[in-house]
Amino acid sequence: MALQMDAAALARFMEVEFPQTAGDFVIDEVGEMRIRVRMPVAHRHLRPGGTVSGPSMFALADVSVYLAILAMIGPKALAVTTSCAIDFMRKPAAGVDMVCECRLLKLGRVLAVGECLLFSEGVEAPVARASLTYSIPPER
């Protein structure tokens, strides 16, 4: 299966469909069944103690899987998360962007399963691992 949307097309899609959050994420790289998305960390992403909050890391993983799916199937805004499990393994580094390396493990007609490793930019060890399942709307 070939890519249906490149990084520029995905960014435009986000600007149109999700203008409230499109600026929170930067698509660094898109490949077949994989994507790399960066979240420039701002004050609103932090929790007490100055670390990146769990909900912010979840958002990065969730958006990354969503965009990886759309890259493969085209612009289907109604694809939705049906399941997520996330393991927080270590404290993110302060003052640096978060990066999500995502790959799709399964891309079927109805369900897609993605796996993500989240990193503090420039740090080798992952700070979190997430597994997400998405439901893909049927063709009408």
Side-chain angles (χ1 to χ4, degrees), residues 51-86:
T51 188
V52 177
S53 71
S56 295
M57 287 190 272
F58 168 80
L60 176 58
D62 192 41
V63 165
S64 296
V65 172
Y66 182 69
L67 292 174
I69 293 167
L70 296 186
M72 297 304 296
I73 68 172
K76 300 192 191 280
L78 297 180
V80 295
T81 309
T82 60
S83 174
C84 176
I86 188 164

Short mmCIF file of all heavy atoms in Angstrom, two decimals, residues 51-86:
data_model
loop_
_atom_site.label_atom_id
_atom_site.label_comp_id
_atom_site.label_asym_id
_atom_site.label_seq_id
_atom_site.Cartn_x
_atom_site.Cartn_y
_atom_site.Cartn_z
N THR A 51 7.64 18.89 34.49
CA THR A 51 7.74 17.80 33.53
C THR A 51 6.53 17.83 32.59
O THR A 51 5.50 18.40 32.92
CB THR A 51 7.85 16.44 34.24
OG1 THR A 51 8.12 15.43 33.27
CG2 THR A 51 6.59 16.08 34.99
N VAL A 52 6.67 17.21 31.44
CA VAL A 52 5.58 17.15 30.47
C VAL A 52 4.47 16.28 31.05
O VAL A 52 4.72 15.19 31.56
CB VAL A 52 6.06 16.60 29.11
CG1 VAL A 52 4.90 16.48 28.12
CG2 VAL A 52 7.15 17.50 28.54
N SER A 53 3.24 16.75 30.96
CA SER A 53 2.10 16.03 31.54
C SER A 53 1.74 14.79 30.74
O SER A 53 1.99 14.71 29.53
CB SER A 53 0.88 16.95 31.61
OG SER A 53 0.37 17.20 30.32
N GLY A 54 1.14 13.83 31.42
CA GLY A 54 0.66 12.61 30.77
C GLY A 54 -0.34 12.91 29.67
O GLY A 54 -0.24 12.33 28.57
N PRO A 55 -1.34 13.79 29.91
CA PRO A 55 -2.28 14.09 28.83
C PRO A 55 -1.61 14.69 27.59
O PRO A 55 -2.03 14.41 26.47
CB PRO A 55 -3.24 15.11 29.48
CG PRO A 55 -3.21 14.76 30.93
CD PRO A 55 -1.78 14.36 31.19
N SER A 56 -0.55 15.45 27.77
CA SER A 56 0.16 16.00 26.61
C SER A 56 0.87 14.90 25.83
O SER A 56 0.85 14.88 24.60
CB SER A 56 1.18 17.06 27.05
OG SER A 56 0.52 18.17 27.61
N MET A 57 1.48 13.95 26.56
CA MET A 57 2.15 12.84 25.88
C MET A 57 1.12 11.93 25.19
O MET A 57 1.36 11.45 24.09
CB MET A 57 3.00 12.04 26.87
CG MET A 57 4.26 12.79 27.27
SD MET A 57 5.41 11.76 28.20
CE MET A 57 4.81 12.02 29.86
N PHE A 58 -0.04 11.73 25.83
CA PHE A 58 -1.11 10.96 25.18
C PHE A 58 -1.52 11.65 23.89
O PHE A 58 -1.70 10.98 22.86
CB PHE A 58 -2.32 10.80 26.10
CG PHE A 58 -3.52 10.27 25.36
CD1 PHE A 58 -3.65 8.92 25.07
CD2 PHE A 58 -4.51 11.14 24.89
CE1 PHE A 58 -4.73 8.44 24.36
CE2 PHE A 58 -5.59 10.66 24.18
CZ PHE A 58 -5.71 9.31 23.90
N ALA A 59 -1.71 12.96 23.93
CA ALA A 59 -2.12 13.69 22.72
C ALA A 59 -1.12 13.48 21.59
O ALA A 59 -1.50 13.26 20.44
CB ALA A 59 -2.30 15.18 23.03
N LEU A 60 0.17 13.53 21.90
CA LEU A 60 1.20 13.34 20.88
C LEU A 60 1.10 11.94 20.27
O LEU A 60 1.13 11.78 19.04
CB LEU A 60 2.59 13.58 21.48
CG LEU A 60 3.77 13.31 20.55
CD1 LEU A 60 3.71 14.17 19.29
CD2 LEU A 60 5.08 13.55 21.31
N ALA A 61 0.94 10.93 21.11
CA ALA A 61 0.82 9.56 20.60
C ALA A 61 -0.45 9.39 19.77
O ALA A 61 -0.43 8.80 18.68
CB ALA A 61 0.84 8.56 21.76
N ASP A 62 -1.55 9.91 20.27
CA ASP A 62 -2.84 9.78 19.60
C ASP A 62 -2.82 10.46 18.22
O ASP A 62 -3.23 9.86 17.22
CB ASP A 62 -3.94 10.36 20.49
CG ASP A 62 -5.33 10.02 20.02
OD1 ASP A 62 -5.57 8.87 19.59
OD2 ASP A 62 -6.21 10.90 20.10
N VAL A 63 -2.34 11.67 18.17
CA VAL A 63 -2.26 12.40 16.89
C VAL A 63 -1.32 11.69 15.93
O VAL A 63 -1.59 11.60 14.73
CB VAL A 63 -1.84 13.86 17.13
CG1 VAL A 63 -1.40 14.54 15.84
CG2 VAL A 63 -2.97 14.65 17.78
N SER A 64 -0.23 11.14 16.45
CA SER A 64 0.74 10.46 15.59
C SER A 64 0.13 9.23 14.92
O SER A 64 0.31 9.03 13.70
CB SER A 64 1.99 10.06 16.40
OG SER A 64 2.65 11.22 16.87
N VAL A 65 -0.58 8.41 15.68
CA VAL A 65 -1.22 7.24 15.07
C VAL A 65 -2.27 7.68 14.07
O VAL A 65 -2.36 7.14 12.96
CB VAL A 65 -1.82 6.30 16.15
CG1 VAL A 65 -2.64 5.19 15.51
CG2 VAL A 65 -0.72 5.72 17.01
N TYR A 66 -3.08 8.66 14.43
CA TYR A 66 -4.11 9.19 13.53
C TYR A 66 -3.49 9.63 12.21
O TYR A 66 -3.96 9.25 11.13
CB TYR A 66 -4.81 10.35 14.23
CG TYR A 66 -5.94 10.99 13.46
CD1 TYR A 66 -7.13 10.30 13.23
CD2 TYR A 66 -5.84 12.30 13.00
CE1 TYR A 66 -8.18 10.90 12.55
CE2 TYR A 66 -6.89 12.90 12.33
CZ TYR A 66 -8.05 12.20 12.11
OH TYR A 66 -9.09 12.80 11.43
N LEU A 67 -2.42 10.40 12.28
CA LEU A 67 -1.79 10.90 11.05
C LEU A 67 -1.12 9.78 10.26
O LEU A 67 -1.14 9.80 9.02
CB LEU A 67 -0.77 11.99 11.39
CG LEU A 67 -1.38 13.29 11.92
CD1 LEU A 67 -0.28 14.25 12.36
CD2 LEU A 67 -2.31 13.94 10.90
N ALA A 68 -0.55 8.79 10.94
CA ALA A 68 0.04 7.65 10.23
C ALA A 68 -1.04 6.90 9.44
O ALA A 68 -0.80 6.48 8.30
CB ALA A 68 0.74 6.71 11.22
N ILE A 69 -2.21 6.75 10.04
CA ILE A 69 -3.32 6.08 9.36
C ILE A 69 -3.76 6.90 8.15
O ILE A 69 -3.89 6.37 7.04
CB ILE A 69 -4.50 5.85 10.32
CG1 ILE A 69 -4.12 4.84 11.40
CG2 ILE A 69 -5.75 5.41 9.57
CD1 ILE A 69 -5.10 4.78 12.57
N LEU A 70 -3.96 8.20 8.36
CA LEU A 70 -4.41 9.05 7.24
C LEU A 70 -3.39 9.09 6.11
O LEU A 70 -3.77 9.15 4.94
CB LEU A 70 -4.70 10.47 7.72
CG LEU A 70 -5.84 10.63 8.73
CD1 LEU A 70 -6.09 12.11 8.98
CD2 LEU A 70 -7.11 9.94 8.27
N ALA A 71 -2.11 9.03 6.46
CA ALA A 71 -1.07 9.01 5.43
C ALA A 71 -1.27 7.82 4.49
O ALA A 71 -1.00 7.91 3.29
CB ALA A 71 0.31 8.97 6.06
N MET A 72 -1.78 6.72 5.05
CA MET A 72 -1.96 5.51 4.26
C MET A 72 -3.32 5.41 3.58
O MET A 72 -3.42 4.87 2.48
CB MET A 72 -1.75 4.27 5.15
CG MET A 72 -0.34 4.16 5.73
SD MET A 72 0.97 4.17 4.49
CE MET A 72 0.59 2.67 3.59
N ILE A 73 -4.40 5.91 4.22
CA ILE A 73 -5.74 5.71 3.68
C ILE A 73 -6.36 6.97 3.09
O ILE A 73 -7.42 6.92 2.49
CB ILE A 73 -6.71 5.11 4.72
CG1 ILE A 73 -7.01 6.11 5.85
CG2 ILE A 73 -6.18 3.80 5.25
CD1 ILE A 73 -8.11 5.66 6.81
N GLY A 74 -5.73 8.13 3.29
CA GLY A 74 -6.28 9.38 2.81
C GLY A 74 -7.10 10.08 3.88
O GLY A 74 -7.25 9.58 4.99
N PRO A 75 -7.63 11.25 3.55
CA PRO A 75 -8.28 12.11 4.54
C PRO A 75 -9.65 11.62 4.99
O PRO A 75 -10.68 11.95 4.41
CB PRO A 75 -8.39 13.45 3.81
CG PRO A 75 -8.44 13.10 2.38
CD PRO A 75 -7.59 11.86 2.23
N LYS A 76 -9.67 10.83 6.04
CA LYS A 76 -10.92 10.33 6.62
C LYS A 76 -11.00 10.86 8.05
O LYS A 76 -10.55 10.23 8.99
CB LYS A 76 -10.96 8.82 6.60
CG LYS A 76 -10.87 8.27 5.18
CD LYS A 76 -11.20 6.82 5.13
CE LYS A 76 -10.85 6.22 3.80
NZ LYS A 76 -11.75 6.42 2.75
N ALA A 77 -11.61 12.03 8.20
CA ALA A 77 -11.62 12.73 9.48
C ALA A 77 -12.31 11.96 10.58
O ALA A 77 -12.07 12.19 11.76
CB ALA A 77 -12.28 14.10 9.32
N LEU A 78 -13.18 11.02 10.24
CA LEU A 78 -13.97 10.34 11.27
C LEU A 78 -13.32 9.10 11.85
O LEU A 78 -13.93 8.42 12.68
CB LEU A 78 -15.37 10.02 10.73
CG LEU A 78 -16.20 11.25 10.37
CD1 LEU A 78 -17.56 10.84 9.84
CD2 LEU A 78 -16.35 12.19 11.55
N ALA A 79 -12.10 8.77 11.48
CA ALA A 79 -11.39 7.68 12.14
C ALA A 79 -11.23 8.06 13.61
O ALA A 79 -10.91 9.20 13.93
CB ALA A 79 -10.02 7.46 11.49
N VAL A 80 -11.50 7.12 14.52
CA VAL A 80 -11.51 7.44 15.94
C VAL A 80 -10.73 6.42 16.77
O VAL A 80 -10.67 5.24 16.43
CB VAL A 80 -12.95 7.54 16.51
CG1 VAL A 80 -13.70 8.69 15.88
CG2 VAL A 80 -13.70 6.24 16.30
N THR A 81 -10.17 6.88 17.87
CA THR A 81 -9.47 6.02 18.81
C THR A 81 -10.48 5.13 19.52
O THR A 81 -11.49 5.61 20.02
CB THR A 81 -8.73 6.86 19.88
OG1 THR A 81 -7.95 7.85 19.23
CG2 THR A 81 -7.85 5.99 20.76
N THR A 82 -10.20 3.83 19.56
CA THR A 82 -11.07 2.93 20.30
C THR A 82 -10.38 2.34 21.52
O THR A 82 -11.03 1.85 22.43
CB THR A 82 -11.58 1.77 19.42
OG1 THR A 82 -10.45 1.03 18.94
CG2 THR A 82 -12.40 2.29 18.26
N SER A 83 -9.04 2.39 21.55
CA SER A 83 -8.31 1.84 22.68
C SER A 83 -6.94 2.49 22.75
O SER A 83 -6.33 2.80 21.72
CB SER A 83 -8.15 0.33 22.48
OG SER A 83 -7.34 -0.23 23.49
N CYS A 84 -6.46 2.67 24.00
CA CYS A 84 -5.10 3.20 24.18
C CYS A 84 -4.53 2.65 25.48
O CYS A 84 -5.23 2.59 26.50
CB CYS A 84 -5.10 4.72 24.24
SG CYS A 84 -3.45 5.39 24.60
N ALA A 85 -3.29 2.25 25.44
CA ALA A 85 -2.53 1.89 26.64
C ALA A 85 -1.20 2.63 26.54
O ALA A 85 -0.57 2.65 25.48
CB ALA A 85 -2.30 0.39 26.71
N ILE A 86 -0.81 3.27 27.62
CA ILE A 86 0.44 4.02 27.61
C ILE A 86 1.22 3.71 28.88
O ILE A 86 0.66 3.63 29.97
CB ILE A 86 0.17 5.54 27.42
CG1 ILE A 86 1.46 6.32 27.21
CG2 ILE A 86 -0.65 6.10 28.55
CD1 ILE A 86 1.26 7.72 26.65
#
